[in-house]
Amino acid sequence: MTGSGRTAAERRTDGYDVLVVGGVGVDTVVRVPELRVPQGDSVFVEPLRDYVGHTGNGVALGWHTLGLRTKFVDFLGDDPQGRTVLAHYARHGLDFSHVVSPHGTPRAANLVDPAGRRFSFYDGRHPASLRLPRGFYLPFLERAAHVHLSIVGHNRDMYEDIHRLGVTSSTDLHDWDGRDPHHRTYALSSDYVFLSAAAIHDRLEAVLRSVVEEGRARCAVATDGADGCHLLVRGEDRVRHFPAVRPERPVVDTNGAGDAFVTAFLCFLFEGRPLEECVRAGAVAGAFACGSAGTHTEFIGLPGLRAATARAVPAGR
């Protein structure tokens, strides 16, 4: 299973390799001694840092750094956080367009412990009824070879146009429990589905099978941190397990590791690489992301990804 149906857009010099829809905000990272509330009513921590983050940001900047023609669209508030986002993308040269949201720019507070583990408090300020206007997103979608939808809700009505145009799609369900109907819409409507195994360990195979058998997914991948990942391909009976790779630098912060996995996996898939190599590239990019503090502060480039994937060693060896 290779390729992504990219022929039509590749014939267009003004097309996009990838369109990312939704998922930008500002993260406040709080480095804490451990992921629990201590006794008392306050504790001193390292200086709080704000970062442009959230999942769509990580996927868009990840693909942009890997050299893909990337377009990113979303809602954004007319507020200090929104202006921070726009300035950040101008510095990075990322092609970004937005609709002003009256609800402001989403934010999150991420607690990170000394081992790099994190817990996020996401404010989810956009109401469930909010939708990106079709007149806004359709011109970008018509020029895209592939589209990645973050599970933000306001892009969920795009699937009808995505399927009509024959554009391949992907999504990241994060820590989906396998049941929540909000996530399930994305799970059953996307061609490439990624999720975390965190909430489904006892039902992992059943959840992956439901995604592939009940939806349109060509493959479903459940990342499992230090235990690697699990892959189910349409037409195959067996869920395959792949080990994690040995990190080449110390793990300091796991923010953005899943987004890095998605971008590298699909980048290699777009090149027609074997799935085993796509998985290894995803693991390498995820491990790389864990070596920098903060949210989406450092991305691996394509030459570095290729070299690191070629020399990657399974964790534990």
Side-chain angles (χ1 to χ4, degrees):
M1 185 183 66
T2 58
S4 68
R6 308 170 79 238
T7 308
E10 284 178 339
R11 288 198 297 264
R12 300 187 56 163
T13 58
D14 65 340
Y16 307 114
D17 294 320
V18 286
L19 168 66
V20 181
V21 186
V24 66
V26 173
D27 286 344
T28 298
V29 173
V30 186
R31 304 197 71 87
V32 295
E34 55 185 327
L35 295 181
R36 72 175 186 85
V37 177
Q39 293 183 347
D41 61 5
S42 66
V43 63
F44 283 102
V45 295
E46 296 179 24
L48 307 188
R49 306 290 188 193
D50 288 344
Y51 302 90
V52 175
H54 297 193
T55 183
N57 171 78
V59 172
L61 282 174
W63 272 332
H64 176 67
T65 304
L66 288 170
L68 278 71
R69 297 174 297 172
T70 305
K71 178 70 180 184
F72 186 22
V73 299
D74 200 2
F75 280 105
L76 199 67
D78 182 13
D79 49 28
Q81 291 74 32
R83 289 185 282 277
T84 296
V85 169
L86 294 176
H88 187 69
Y89 291 160
R91 287 193 299 271
H92 283 272
L94 178 65
D95 187 353
F96 177 73
S97 299
H98 71 284
V99 175
V100 174
S101 169
H103 310 284
T105 302
R107 302 196 64 177
N110 297 344
L111 307 185
V112 180
D113 73 5
R117 294 182 297 264
R118 56 109 182 187
F119 190 91
S120 298
F121 297 88
Y122 176 63
D123 71 11
R125 66 181 60 213
H126 292 318
S129 60
L130 189 68
R131 293 291 186 272
L132 275 174
R134 187 170 186 264
F136 167 75
Y137 74 70
L138 189 58
F140 303 122
L141 181 61
E142 289 174 335
R143 296 168 59 190
H146 180 84
V147 58
H148 180 85
L149 270 62
S150 305
I151 54 169
V152 290
H154 56 254
N155 55 16
R156 60 190 297 154
D157 291 350
M158 290 179 60
Y159 277 113
E160 182 176 351
D161 283 316
I162 291 170
H163 299 160
R164 176 180 59 83
L165 292 168
V167 178
T168 57
S169 61
S170 56
T171 193
D172 184 350
L173 308 176
H174 300 278
D175 58 344
W176 183 40
D177 62 4
R179 299 186 177 95
D180 189 308
H182 171 82
H183 299 68
R184 195 168 186 79
T185 296
Y186 293 88
L188 301 186
S189 303
S190 300
D191 296 296
Y192 303 101
V193 177
F194 300 84
L195 66 155
S196 165
I200 57 168
H201 273 119
D202 59 333
R203 297 175 291 115
L204 191 146
E205 290 204 12
V207 171
L208 290 180
R209 291 189 190 284
S210 73
V211 169
V212 172
E213 293 172 2
E214 298 175 30
R216 60 185 288 126
R218 304 181 186 186
C219 69
V221 183
T223 56
D224 204 3
D227 289 328
C229 74
H230 310 268
L231 168 71
L232 180 62
V233 177
R234 178 173 294 279
E236 295 185 2
D237 294 329
R238 181 172 61 93
V239 175
R240 287 187 267 171
H241 173 260
F242 295 85
V245 300
R246 183 189 302 165
E248 295 189 343
R249 52 187 187 169
V251 174
V252 297
D253 194 331
T254 57
N255 278 301
D259 303 325
F261 183 101
V262 169
T263 56
F265 180 104
L266 287 174
C267 179
F268 270 39
L269 187 77
F270 295 158
E271 293 181 347
R273 305 290 189 91
L275 281 171
E276 295 79 5
E277 196 171 344
C278 298
V279 168
R280 191 159 61 249
V284 164
F288 180 88
C290 294
S292 59
T295 305
H296 305 143
T297 54
E298 191 176 0
F299 298 88
I300 193 167
L302 189 55
L305 177 63
R306 287 176 173 159
T309 301
R311 65 175 180 264
V313 176
R317 291 190 183 177

